C-alpha cells in the first residue's frame, strides 16, 4: 500500500500536469516544498509531445544521445531553446516554452524555391548564425516564389499556428523596398485562399512589418491556420509576387510554424 505522502505526491503530480508547463515552472520556484514533485519526470513527461521520442530518434545521433540523458524537465527546456534538426537537416523541431506545443521550421533546403537550383539565380552558403547547414542567397530573379509544404499530422492538435518567413538582407539588395510580396497560407486542395501582401524592406517613413529575432534573423508573418486534429492533409505556405520584377540581396533561412501566442 502506498504511503500517505506517496498518495499526496501523486495527487499533486496529477494536478500540476493539468496546468501549463510555464506555470508549473513558476510553481516550482515559488513553492520550494513542492519542488521535488513539480520537477519530477512523471510531471514533465506529460508536458512533452506524445511522439517526442520518435522525433528525437530521427535527429542527429549526437543530439539524440544528449537529450535522452536529461531529466524530462531539462529535456523540455532544452527543446524549447535548442531546436534540433530532423529530416536530413532540412527541418528543425522545437517546443513553445509556455505551452509545450510543437514548433517547426522548414529550412531553405526543404523549401521549393523557383530557380533554386540555378547558380545564376541563387547561391547556397553556410552561415554561423543559422541553425541549418545551408541557407539560400538570392543573386537575381524576376520570378520570386518560395513554398513550404508541411503535413498537419506532425503538428500539435487543437492549435492556432502562425507562420513566418525567416530571412535577412545583404547590404546590396533590390526590389523589396517598392514592390510588395504576397503571402498565402492554405490547406492543400482548398480553393479558399486569404492572401495578403507587404513590403519586406519598406522605407524608414513606412510601417516596418518585419521584426528582428533574437537569433540574428528577421521574420515577417505570412498567415495563420487552425490545426484541428492533424487530418487536414498538408498546409502550404507560399511567398510570391503579383508582378515579376528584378530582385536580389535576400537570404532565406526558412519558413517557421509556431503556436500563436502559445495556443
Amino acid at each position: 500500500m502506498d504511503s500517505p505522502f506517496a498518495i499526496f505526491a501523486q495527487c499533486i503530480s496529477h494536478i500540476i500536469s493539468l496546468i501549463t508547463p510555464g506555470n508549473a515552472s513558476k510553481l516550482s520556484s515559488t513553492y520550494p516544498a513542492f519542488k521535488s514533485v513539480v520537477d519530477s519526470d512523471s510531471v514533465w513527461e506529460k508536458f512533452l509531445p506524445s511522439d517526442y521520442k520518435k522525433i528525437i530518434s530521427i535527429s542527429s545521433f549526437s543530439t539524440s544521445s544528449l537529450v535522452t540523458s536529461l531529466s524530462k524537465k531539462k529535456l523540455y527546456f532544452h527543446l524549447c531553446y535548442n531546436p534540433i534538426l530532423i529530416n536530413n537537416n532540412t527541418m528543425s523541431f522545437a517546443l513553445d516554452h509556455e505551452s509545450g506545443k510543437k514548433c517547426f521550421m522548414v529550412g531553405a533546403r526543404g523549401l521549393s524555391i523557383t530557380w533554386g537550383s540555378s547558380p545564376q539565380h541563387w547561391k547556397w552558403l553556410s552561415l554561423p548564425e543559422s541553425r541549418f547547414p545551408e541557407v539560400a542567397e538570392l543573386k537575381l530573379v524576376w520570378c520570386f516564389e518560395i513554398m513550404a509544404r508541411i503535413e498537419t499530422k506532425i503538428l500539435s492538435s487543437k492549435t492556432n499556428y502562425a507562420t513566418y518567413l525567416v530571412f535577412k538582407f545583404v547590404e546590396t539588395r533590390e526590389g523589396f523596398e517598392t514592390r510588395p510580396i504576397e503571402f498565402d497560407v492554405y490547406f492543400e486542395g482548398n480553393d479558399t485562399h486569404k492572401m495578403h501582401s507587404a513590403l519586406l524592406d519598406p522605407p524608414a517613413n513606412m510601417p516596418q512589418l518585419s521584426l528582428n529575432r533574437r537569433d540574428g534573423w528577421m521574420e515577417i508573418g505570412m498567415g495563420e491556420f487552425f490545426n484541428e486534429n492533424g487530418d487536414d492533409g498538408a498546409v502550404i505556405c507560399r511567398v510570391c509576387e503579383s508582378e515579376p520584377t528584378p530582385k536580389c540581396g535576400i537570404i532565406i533561412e526558412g519558413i517557421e510554424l509556431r503556436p500563436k501566442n502559445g495556443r
Side-chain angles (χ1 to χ4, degrees):
M1 179 181 295
D2 291 337
S3 68
F5 177 80
I7 296 174
F8 173 75
Q10 290 172 8
C11 292
I12 295 297
S13 174
H14 175 70
I15 293 171
I16 294 170
S17 68
L18 300 178
I19 64 177
T20 66
N23 285 332
S25 183
K26 294 173 186 175
L27 185 64
S28 174
S29 58
T30 305
Y31 299 98
F34 292 157
K35 182 175 176 59
S36 62
V37 177
V38 176
D39 291 350
S40 66
D41 279 355
S42 61
V43 168
W44 287 89
E45 177 86 28
K46 296 175 182 177
F47 291 144
L48 290 164
S50 59
D51 58 349
Y52 78 92
K53 291 181 180 178
K54 179 181 178 181
I55 295 173
I56 292 172
S57 71
I58 60 175
S59 66
S60 66
F61 174 80
S62 59
T63 300
S64 179
S65 62
L66 170 66
V67 295
T68 53
S69 66
L70 301 174
S71 70
K72 295 300 184 288
K73 181 179 179 179
K74 289 183 178 180
L75 171 58
Y76 177 91
F77 284 106
H78 179 88
L79 293 174
C80 289
Y81 299 110
N82 301 276
I84 61 174
L85 299 183
I86 58 176
N87 291 7
N88 294 319
N89 296 333
T90 63
M91 180 181 287
S92 70
F93 163 75
L95 297 179
D96 176 78
H97 76 279
E98 187 63 31
S99 67
K101 293 188 175 184
K102 300 175 186 174
C103 308
F104 290 94
M105 187 190 295
V106 182
R109 276 296 186 190
L111 300 173
S112 174
I113 301 177
T114 300
W115 297 108
S117 59
S118 170
Q120 293 112 325
H121 299 97
W122 289 89
K123 175 183 178 182
W124 292 90
L125 66 158
S126 297
L127 292 180
E129 63 268 30
S130 177
R131 67 184 65 178
F132 296 104
E134 287 184 300
V135 294
E137 179 181 339
L138 176 59
K139 297 175 68 176
L140 179 66
V141 294
W142 283 75
C143 181
F144 183 73
E145 185 174 17
I146 299 170
M147 188 177 71
R149 181 182 184 277
I150 305 97
E151 293 289 344
T152 57
K153 64 184 179 182
I154 71 172
L155 305 174
S156 296
S157 60
K158 303 291 190 297
T159 302
N160 286 304
Y161 272 94
T163 63
Y164 301 87
L165 176 68
V166 182
F167 67 98
K168 65 169 53 181
F169 288 115
V170 299
E171 186 174 348
T172 303
R173 65 252 200 182
E174 179 185 351
F176 296 100
E177 70 285 352
T178 58
R179 295 286 185 175
I181 296 298
E182 295 191 341
F183 303 101
D184 196 8
V185 178
Y186 59 95
F187 292 114
E188 191 173 51
N190 190 332
D191 293 331
T192 303
H193 295 211
K194 295 181 179 179
M195 299 181 68
H196 75 278
S197 60
L199 290 174
L200 286 188
D201 190 25
N205 62 346
M206 292 184 65
Q208 306 292 311
L209 300 179
S210 300
L211 302 176
N212 291 320
R213 294 162 54 102
R214 288 180 295 180
D215 59 5
W217 293 84
M218 300 175 69
E219 68 178 25
I220 188 168
M222 295 178 57
E224 304 170 6
F225 66 94
F226 182 73
N227 186 41
E228 181 69 39
N229 296 308
D231 52 9
D232 289 307
V235 63
I236 305 298
C237 306
R238 184 168 171 259
V239 184
C240 60
E241 55 185 344
S242 57
E243 298 180 17
T245 55
K247 287 179 169 58
C248 66
I250 191 173
I251 301 176
I252 303 297
E253 183 179 43
I255 291 178
E256 186 172 50
L257 294 81
R258 62 178 189 259
K260 183 182 179 182
N261 301 324
R263 296 193 294 271

